[in-house]
Amino acid sequence: MSRIGNNPVAITEGVTVDVQDNVITVKGKLGELTQSYDAVNIKVEDGNVYVTRSADNKEQKSKHGLYRSLISNMIEGVSKGWTKELELVGVGYRASNQGQKLDMALGFSHNIVMNVAPEVKIETISEKGKNPIVKLTSHDKQLVGQVAAKIRSFRKPEPYKGKGVKFVGEELRRKAGKSA
């Protein structure tokens, strides 16, 4: 059984946490995040956030660790931010952006144009001789992961040559091809 929920969450400098009517609001220099909660009690005391449960039933045990992790991610997000980088591996794979519009050439007969949420800052890095990189940055960890997963779903990496959209640093399981 995980005991992650018992650990207090330290509030970093410049971040304010407000708890009212089963909604927790975290404000920082990068933005503001809100999260509703149930089945647990949340208290803010002397620079820490404490998540406690009143009973030991299965629902409260599972939500205890969940809400503690969500609050920790919210505090880190509004103070430092979250970043995901995707690498486009393949001949002719390109990416460019104009504002919040991401334009990708992934080997299909047409380019894929995707409108990205305004909370996510998008940056494309193209260097000669290297694979293009799409860099996503936001204060909301859940939103960054969702946008990155959507981009990756357009062309998942295949196991034979490794072509496709993959996360930077991701280890792919490779297969041997046909033996002649």
Side-chain angles (χ1 to χ4, degrees), residues 29-31 33 76-86 97 99-100 102 116-125 133-148 151 167:
K29 64 180 179 185
L30 296 179
L33 293 170
E76 189 171 337
V78 297
S79 60
K80 296 180 198 167
W82 296 99
T83 302
K84 286 230 184 234
E85 292 182 343
L86 296 126
N97 70 307
Q100 292 301 102
L102 178 65
V116 180
E119 294 89 16
V120 179
K121 290 179 180 59
I122 191 161
E123 180 184 354
T124 53
I125 304 164
I133 292 177
V134 177
K135 189 175 182 181
L136 305 169
T137 309
S138 179
H139 62 281
D140 191 350
K141 183 177 186 177
Q142 193 171 350
L143 186 62
V144 169
Q146 186 176 357
V147 171
I151 293 170
F167 294 108

Side-chain angles (χ1 to χ4, degrees), residues 5-55:
N6 293 330
N7 298 335
V9 182
I11 300 173
T12 56
E13 194 173 320
V15 176
T16 59
V17 178
D18 185 36
V19 180
Q20 288 181 358
D21 301 328
N22 287 350
V23 174
I24 185 164
T25 305
V26 180
K27 294 179 188 173
K29 64 180 179 185
L30 296 179
E32 178 180 336
L33 293 170
T34 59
Q35 174 70 46
S36 61
Y37 66 92
D38 62 337
V40 294
N41 302 317
I42 296 177
K43 289 187 294 187
V44 179
E45 290 179 357
D46 51 86
N48 288 323
V49 179
Y50 297 96
V51 181
T52 57
R53 59 181 188 248
S54 57

